[in-house]
Amino acid sequence: MQTVKHRWKDRLQRVLITTLVWTPPIGLIVLPLAGFLAYSFFALDNGEIVHRFTFGNYIRFFSDAVFVPQFLRTCLLAAGVGVITLLAAYPVALLLWSLEGRAKHLMLVLFVIPLLMSYILKIFSIRAILGGRGYLNTLLMAAGVITEPTPFLLFNLTAVFLTLSIILFPFTLLPLFVTLERIPKALIQASSDLGGAGWLTFRRVVLPLSWPGGVIGASFTFVLALGDFVTPQMVGGPTGLTFGRIVYSQFGLAYNWPFGSALAVILMAAVLAVLALAARIGRSQGGPP
Amino acid sequence: MGAIDITAPAAANQRQAPLSMSRPLLVLEGIEKGFGGAQVLHGIDLTINDGEFLTVLGASGSGKTTVLRLIGGFTEPSAGRILFEGADIVSVPAYRRPVNTVFQDYALFPHLTVAGNVAYGLEARGTARDVLRPKVAEALERVALKGFDARYPSQLSGGQRQRVALARALVLEPRLILLDEPLGALDAALRRQMQVFLKQLQREIRTTFLLVTHDQEEAIVMSDRICVLDAGRIAQIGTPHELYYRPASEYIARFFGDNNLIEGRLGPSAAAVRFVETAAGRLMVSTKDQSDVAEAPTGTPVKIALRPEAIQVAPGSEFENHLSGTIRDVTFAGAISQIVIQPSGETARPLTIKLASRAAGLGLSRGQPISAGWRSADCRILLR
């Protein structure tokens, strides 16, 4: 009798725990996302949302001459940000990795501290650097490279690219650094013992073992850059249009939620595809599955 | 793991003098090493001869791994010289030293296959593919891993990984192979198999092996010579036979052979023997090869090292030392039985005797009176 009772209690407990664990992600993430997915199949009629199933929003996205090129250009921009942060993160991560004790932690904090700062504060700092009378222009003029402030630094796509690269840098750096830290020092010694000097050890051991971390970091950065609309808004100017800004404008300005949802769904599909690809690359390294 | 034949023929167990024993290959000269205020090695002088199997034996913290790391080039001595065939290699980086290491926990490259791991050193040297392949195949065959080329380290057992690490070093044909506790992670049966295998391999390829371990049995089975480190100092260097039969100090006597240690004071001396006054009576000990003991003043406190298997039950008159007592304990351990006896002297410490169980089966039991004896040549006076 008692065991039956116990089993019943166990089962209840398990159901309770499962419910508790799954309620927040389902309620806060899956349901809203499903809502957007549903909205993307609705239409707008005279500013009113019509709850009638249609592929109209998706047809509009693929048939309009504006959206697809804009989407691809934004993907290219985000990919560029991912690549440039990865290239910049490698030397920094290797430097951090080579340091010991307190110096290592201090340097790490220095590179990661921007994560703790307000987004707006970071953007205005960058505007102060790139602006017409900003540090960079002043410096270039003082050096005699240019005679008057160049307008090419701010309020265009280049500015968006630079700003995103700087702001998102820690997201690429951290996973890469963590992966480097996980490489056993004995492997480096083994390579050295077998005749591998510094460069060979990097190319044959460090790079292949840390590459997955770099790819994961760069894809984080890619995903964040792809959907971002604040930075393009603040430093992009009229030419620095990105897909994130278009999505934002559908919700915030045009009040076309169904079409905005469709654009958001397309964006998310791209994000998921990139993350899946990154996970595959991550898994393909370090031997068999 | 398949049943791979890594057991050696019986001949491998016979001790034979290594080749060109006298030619020094690597010499450590006055090596000091400190890590941030803590002195790890104190004036280490050690010569490794070409072709020998030398083991550095010590407890953890004795500095044995540091010795290996110094030779491998992973750390620099605070003072002293490391001479390889006469040339100081202290400033030579690890990747250019003519030694290779089999690391503790193997340090195999997880992203490379078995063949990739073994080929790594050859590729680093720029060896051509057509030369490299047969060499890799040969090295894998030598460690009984033929056909494992395409596996990854994560698909291998501990013993197989160990042999890949060995092949990775062997394939470079180094003059000296350093082994850092290579068998530490293996289970007891596999460890014994690998001991014989390593020893046989070392004879076959005639390469100098330097092994670091904390396991005295492993050291005795495999080594031509053993260097015992105690707290950063060399306690004794010698063949396993020497360390076993002629320990230089109490530390060595405790480390090898489960010696009985009998406390006493030096008494008078006679031709090649010295008497020692102990709680169990006056004992006679040979002082052969021990001029310091022969000359030490009477009354000096000493210990006698007496191996358990050297003690005879119901001894005849050819045994110079006799004592009587009672049996405190009898333990049967297969071929060997261990008997603990309490000598009749008031303050005498118990003695442990090891006998072949066949001989012990004479109806010895607890509480029974017993007489025991041993030759003066089978025990040894320890001054320190």
Side-chain angles (χ1 to χ4, degrees):
Chain A
M1 254 349 256
Q2 199 145 26
T3 53
V4 171
K5 214 177 193 177
H6 263 284
R7 214 174 292 157
W8 195 83
K9 248 184 172 173
D10 277 357
R11 203 172 295 164
L12 184 73
Q13 204 173 10
R14 214 171 306 145
V15 168
L16 214 68
I17 289 172
T18 312
T19 313
L20 278 176
V21 167
W22 285 101
T23 302
I26 288 175
L28 299 174
I29 300 171
V30 177
L31 284 182
L33 282 179
F36 277 112
L37 189 66
Y39 261 91
S40 74
F41 292 108
F42 296 151
L44 199 71
D45 190 19
N46 270 333
E48 292 281 323
I49 294 167
V50 186
H51 297 268
R52 174 165 46 80
F53 184 86
T54 170
F55 282 111
N57 297 316
Y58 292 96
I59 292 168
R60 184 182 165 196
F61 172 81
F62 285 107
S63 57
D64 197 306
V66 176
F67 296 113
V68 173
Q70 186 57 55
F71 177 69
L72 293 178
R73 206 180 317 144
T74 306
C75 284
L76 206 65
L77 174 89
V81 171
V83 169
I84 207 88
T85 52
L86 183 58
L87 290 179
Y90 249 106
V92 173
L94 289 172
L95 172 76
L96 286 172
W97 186 46
S98 70
L99 293 174
E100 298 272 337
R102 185 177 274 189
K104 175 183 259 177
H105 289 117
L106 203 71
M107 281 289 254
L108 185 63
V109 167
L110 273 181
F111 276 104
V112 172
I113 228 167
L115 283 181
L116 309 174
M117 286 163 49
S118 151
Y119 206 112
I120 297 298
L121 200 69
K122 281 186 275 192
I123 287 175
F124 273 95
S125 314
I126 284 166
R127 274 166 71 153
I129 295 169
L130 300 178
R133 275 174 292 171
Y135 304 128
L136 204 55
N137 267 319
T138 315
L139 207 71
L140 288 174
M141 285 201 296
V145 180
I146 50 174
T147 48
E148 53 186 70
T150 165
F152 297 115
L153 291 175
L154 198 55
F155 301 126
N156 54 32
L157 219 49
T158 314
V160 176
F161 178 77
L162 285 176
T163 309
L164 284 175
S165 301
I166 293 166
I167 287 177
L168 298 178
F169 179 67
F171 290 98
T172 306
L173 176 69
L174 277 178
L176 178 60
F177 172 70
V178 169
T179 319
L180 280 174
E181 284 282 289
R182 280 212 303 249
I183 299 177
K185 286 279 191 280
L187 292 188
I188 309 305
Q189 287 178 357
S191 171
S192 179
D193 183 78
L194 295 166
W199 169 243
L200 190 88
T201 300
F202 175 73
R203 197 166 53 80
R204 293 291 314 276
V205 179
V206 178
L207 195 60
L209 290 177
S210 62
W211 174 244
V215 167
I216 284 165
S219 48
F220 278 169
T221 293
F222 170 82
V223 165
L224 291 170
L226 191 61
D228 196 22
F229 61 92
V230 180
T231 299
Q233 200 96 300
M234 302 289 285
V235 302
T239 59
L241 199 65
T242 63
F243 199 68
R245 271 174 91 175
I246 294 173
V247 175
Y248 170 72
S249 70
Q250 291 303 322
F251 282 96
L253 303 172
Y255 291 105
N256 190 344
W257 281 34
F259 188 55
S261 298
L263 297 184
V265 166
I266 288 161
L267 196 63
M268 203 169 78
V271 164
L272 290 177
V274 166
L275 288 182
L277 193 72
R280 245 187 101 136
I281 292 174
R283 244 180 291 130
S284 73
Q285 300 294 323
Chain B
M1 152 183 174
I4 290 153
D5 182 32
I6 56 169
T7 45
N13 278 328
Q14 291 166 15
R15 205 149 287 287
Q16 34 180 259
L19 304 142
S20 54
M21 182 84 181
S22 52
R23 208 158 60 93
L25 181 70
L26 188 113
V27 179
L28 299 182
E29 231 178 58
I31 294 290
E32 305 274 339
K33 178 65 185 174
F35 286 112
Q39 189 78 3
V40 179
L41 294 176
H42 306 265
I44 298 292
D45 291 305
L46 177 64
T47 299
I48 302 162
N49 293 313
D50 201 6
E52 78 173 327
F53 196 130
L54 185 99
T55 296
V56 176
L57 178 67
S60 67
S62 60
K64 59 186 190 300
T65 300
T66 306
V67 170
L68 188 125
R69 292 172 57 82
L70 283 166
I71 298 171
F74 306 117
T75 184
E76 278 186 25
S78 320
R81 300 199 299 166
I82 302 171
L83 304 171
F84 188 88
E85 298 198 312
D88 195 342
I89 57 165
V90 164
S91 56
V92 175
Y95 59 86
R96 273 202 290 183
R97 293 197 184 191
V99 301
N100 288 114
T101 309
V102 176
F103 289 86
Q104 195 175 11
D105 304 325
Y106 324 133
L108 298 179
F109 303 121
H111 58 298
L112 299 179
T113 59
V114 167
N117 268 281
V118 177
Y120 190 92
L122 292 171
E123 283 169 0
R125 291 179 178 181
T127 309
R129 282 237 151 249
D130 52 330
V131 182
L132 182 144
R133 284 204 180 160
K135 280 197 170 193
V136 169
E138 193 202 323
L140 284 176
E141 205 173 333
R142 224 181 236 303
V143 297
L145 282 177
K146 198 177 173 184
F148 282 71
D149 310 50
R151 301 260 193 114
Y152 282 90
S154 58
Q155 297 169 313
L156 302 179
S157 72
Q160 290 167 340
R161 285 182 207 178
Q162 212 270 324
R163 281 180 279 146
V164 175
L166 195 61
R168 192 171 67 169
L170 288 180
V171 77
L172 296 173
E173 295 165 19
R175 301 292 303 282
L176 173 61
I177 292 183
L178 309 174
L179 302 117
D180 186 4
E181 302 249 9
L183 310 182
L186 306 179
D187 64 65
L190 192 54
R191 195 154 58 214
R192 270 192 290 280
Q193 246 183 4
M194 281 305 291
Q195 287 170 3
V196 178
F197 173 72
L198 272 178
K199 181 67 201 156
Q200 190 195 18
L201 177 77
Q202 189 261 342
R203 286 228 180 83
E204 272 173 19
I205 63 174
R206 303 182 174 196
T207 301
T208 314
F209 275 37
L210 178 71
L211 176 93
V212 159
T213 185
H214 65 273
D215 184 335
Q216 73 269 31
E217 185 209 311
E218 195 169 297
I220 287 177
V221 170
M222 293 202 277
S223 321
D224 295 316
R225 287 195 305 150
I226 301 171
C227 165
V228 183
L229 277 188
D230 175 22
R233 288 191 171 80
I234 293 179
Q236 191 172 357
I237 305 177
T239 62
H241 198 271
E242 281 167 351
L243 293 179
Y244 193 80
Y245 289 105
R246 298 207 293 278
S249 64
E250 186 186 336
Y251 182 80
I252 303 289
R254 283 185 191 279
F255 221 154
F256 290 93
D258 304 325
N259 278 283
N260 289 296
L261 292 165
I262 306 165
E263 286 178 40
R265 286 180 183 279
L266 286 181
S269 52
V273 294
R274 188 101 198 220
F275 292 96
V276 180
E277 310 293 350
T278 74
R282 174 181 275 199
L283 301 175
M284 193 205 244
V285 186
S286 157
T287 56
K288 199 165 154 274
D289 318 319
Q290 279 186 296
S291 55
D292 52 341
V293 171
E295 287 155 17
T298 303
T300 307
V302 294
K303 286 195 172 107
I304 300 172
L306 173 59
R307 277 173 293 101
E309 74 275 17
I311 306 175
Q312 187 75 35
V313 173
S317 57
E318 73 273 25
F319 294 85
E320 296 96 332
N321 295 301
H322 288 262
L323 58 78
S324 54
T326 50
I327 297 180
R328 256 175 59 161
D329 207 3
V330 181
T331 314
F332 172 72
I336 297 282
S337 285
Q338 183 172 298
I339 300 159
V340 179
I341 65 170
Q342 177 62 53
S344 27
E346 266 170 31
T347 54
R349 298 262 182 87
L351 284 183
T352 302
I353 306 176
K354 280 183 184 161
L355 287 177
S357 294
R358 234 175 355 162
L362 304 166
L364 297 173
S365 59
R366 279 177 67 169
Q368 199 181 316
I370 188 173
S371 72
W374 62 93
R375 290 190 176 86
S376 65
D378 284 338
C379 55
R380 196 169 167 82
I381 294 173
L382 304 172
L383 291 173
R384 56 194 169 89

